[in-house]
Amino acid sequence: MTIPVNSDMFTGLELLSSAVIAVDAGEIVCYVNPAAENLFAVSHRQWRGKMLFDVLGRSLVLEKAIASALQSRWSYTGYDMKVQRPFIEPILLDCTVSPIDEAGTGLLLEFRPANIRWRVAREELLLQQQRANRELIRNLAHEIKNPLGGIRGSAQLLERELNDTVLREYTEVIIAEADRLQDLMTRVLTTHGKIHLNPLNVHEVLVRVGKLMQAEFPGIVIDNDFDPSLPEVLADRERLIQAVLNIARNAAQALEGKGKVILRTRIARQVTLAKKFYKLAVELQIIDNGPGVSEEMQEKIFYPLVSGRVGGSGLGLALTQNLVEQHHGVIRLDSHPGETCFTVTLPVTDETR
């Protein structure tokens, strides 16, 4: 048996987080990186020198990817390949096959769990949703704000002409409600302005939110579960406080003033946010032990003007999503009866390391 592929070309593959297997012209395994050893629950020594399909099992998806890569002398990706692993459950993988020698016969196979592709597709869908939300909210705010001045001015003029105290109370209500809407529209438009990103420890944000929540909802227990080793992120402190506070207030309202809210931070590795890959990211989680969010509501909870609470404006989470997007991050919801968790993921960039 000969393995013509030059082993020097594998230098550095040990550091990759994705699973990599190299095969020679006879489709014999000549290299398995540590990530592949972990994924397939085998060692490099166990697979080296064996036929690829003897160790992975036959797969039409992989056979087609290999044939296409050999024919075109270019990378080809096969999707949703089921691989049986020794003593543990099978796994669904995507595999990119690339020629790695001049003759185009040696191949490098890079495997990724299929759920990563699903997450990337979902994040792309969220980005499209965020852009649509942003445009809708901005246009809506402008359309509402313009006639409000006329309504308020007319109510003031009418108030001056009325001598009846009861009727004047009605005009006062009109003016007060017009002012409330004006403030809301100003807040909506302000969140779409330019933000100022600076290195920030996210724990400053969560501590501030915790204090505000404790003052506003004294019956709620606020627990901090922080990872002290987190790196800084680039963020606008005040706007990130606003985003997290919106979520925390929603949690407190769902608890109806009694229950527990956990503010948690964790590190995330090898993540894709807004179609960009980052080695590190920071996760901020706001968790409550309330009744949960129905599956139907989960699908549309970030849409503007959609609220699961009677009397809610339906703008809080839509604005929060926009603020998170401005920080090049994503927000997701996981909920079931007894626990609701909003996770805000923010990238760690070279400027903060």
Side-chain angles (χ1 to χ4, degrees):
M1 179 187 65
T2 59
I3 302 178
V5 180
N6 184 359
S7 59
D8 292 340
M9 67 180 63
F10 303 139
T11 302
L13 295 181
E14 291 86 355
L15 303 177
L16 289 181
S17 61
S18 54
V20 175
I21 295 175
V23 299
D24 65 11
E27 295 182 0
I28 296 173
V29 176
C30 52
Y31 174 78
V32 179
N33 78 341
E37 291 179 315
N38 291 332
L39 180 65
F40 297 112
V42 297
S43 68
H44 171 80
R45 183 177 299 177
Q46 285 176 291
W47 275 12
R48 180 177 169 83
K50 295 185 177 180
M51 294 291 295
L52 177 66
F53 290 110
D54 287 345
V55 293
L56 287 182
R58 304 304 301 185
S59 168
L60 293 177
V61 174
L62 185 56
E63 288 177 5
K64 181 179 178 182
I66 290 174
S68 298
L70 290 174
Q71 182 178 6
S72 64
R73 300 286 181 89
W74 198 253
S75 296
Y76 186 89
T77 300
Y79 298 101
D80 299 331
M81 180 183 72
K82 188 175 183 180
V83 176
Q84 185 68 48
R85 299 179 292 176
F87 309 113
I88 53 178
E89 74 282 355
I91 188 171
L92 203 62
L93 300 172
D94 297 338
C95 179
T96 298
V97 181
S98 305
I100 55 173
D101 62 2
E102 293 181 0
T105 52
L107 298 171
L108 200 69
L109 287 72
E110 181 182 4
F111 296 88
R112 298 173 303 280
N115 64 338
I116 292 179
R117 176 166 49 88
W118 177 84
R119 287 202 303 269
V120 171
R122 180 169 176 79
E123 287 172 2
E124 185 173 349
L125 180 63
L126 284 173
L127 283 175
Q128 295 173 355
Q129 177 184 317
Q130 288 168 354
R131 295 187 189 102
N133 287 351
R134 185 170 60 247
E135 290 303 314
L136 176 59
I137 292 172
R138 183 188 294 121
N139 294 336
L140 183 65
H142 278 298
E143 291 298 321
I144 293 175
K145 191 174 182 180
N146 290 334
L148 277 178
I151 293 173
R152 190 185 194 283
S154 298
Q156 285 179 311
L157 291 174
L158 182 60
E159 186 178 37
R160 294 172 188 171
E161 300 296 325
L162 295 174
N163 296 320
D164 190 319
T165 304
V166 175
L167 294 179
R168 288 171 65 91
E169 288 179 358
Y170 293 146
T171 59
E172 289 172 2
V173 170
I174 296 173
I175 293 170
E177 289 302 295
D179 287 341
R180 186 176 67 84
L181 281 174
Q182 190 80 14
D183 290 341
L184 178 61
M185 293 304 102
T186 300
R187 182 161 59 90
V188 167
L189 292 172
T190 300
T191 61
H192 291 81
K194 185 177 180 180
I195 66 172
H196 303 283
L197 301 178
N198 294 293
L200 176 70
N201 185 327
V202 295
H203 295 144
E204 294 179 25
V205 171
L206 295 183
V207 168
R208 176 62 176 163
V209 168
K211 290 180 178 179
L212 292 172
M213 288 290 294
Q214 205 69 77
E216 188 174 351
F217 303 95
I220 299 290
V221 176
I222 307 294
D223 277 354
N224 294 334
D225 180 8
F226 295 165
D227 179 350
S229 66
L230 289 188
E232 294 183 326
V233 299
L234 284 179
D236 185 313
R237 183 178 183 274
E238 296 307 315
R239 295 204 179 185
L240 193 55
I241 288 175
Q242 180 183 346
V244 176
L245 188 58
N246 285 347
I247 302 171
R249 278 179 174 152
N250 267 20
Q253 289 160 355
L255 292 170
E256 298 181 347
K258 293 181 181 180
K260 179 186 288 188
V261 173
I262 302 173
L263 303 177
R264 176 181 295 165
T265 59
R266 292 291 185 268
I267 194 71
R269 302 180 187 278
Q270 313 292 338
V271 299
T272 301
L273 304 173
K275 298 184 181 180
K276 188 173 180 180
F277 176 80
Y278 296 93
K279 292 182 180 179
L280 291 176
V282 167
E283 289 187 344
L284 289 71
Q285 295 182 326
I286 300 91
I287 307 166
D288 70 72
N289 62 345
V293 181
S294 68
E295 290 187 13
E296 179 184 2
M297 181 58 66
Q298 288 183 43
E299 295 297 321
K300 55 186 179 182
I301 197 166
F302 294 109
Y303 292 151
L305 307 181
V306 173
S307 176
R309 180 171 53 87
V310 176
S313 67
L315 289 175
L317 288 178
L319 294 176
T320 296
Q321 188 183 53
N322 176 60
L323 289 169
V324 172
E325 185 197 12
Q326 289 178 326
H327 286 82
H328 310 293
V330 297
I331 180 173
R332 71 174 187 272
L333 165 66
D334 298 294
S335 182
H336 56 81
E339 182 177 291
T340 295
C341 177
F342 283 90
T343 301
V344 174
T345 306
L346 302 174
V348 175
T349 60
D350 293 336
E351 292 94 324
T352 57
R353 280 190 285 171

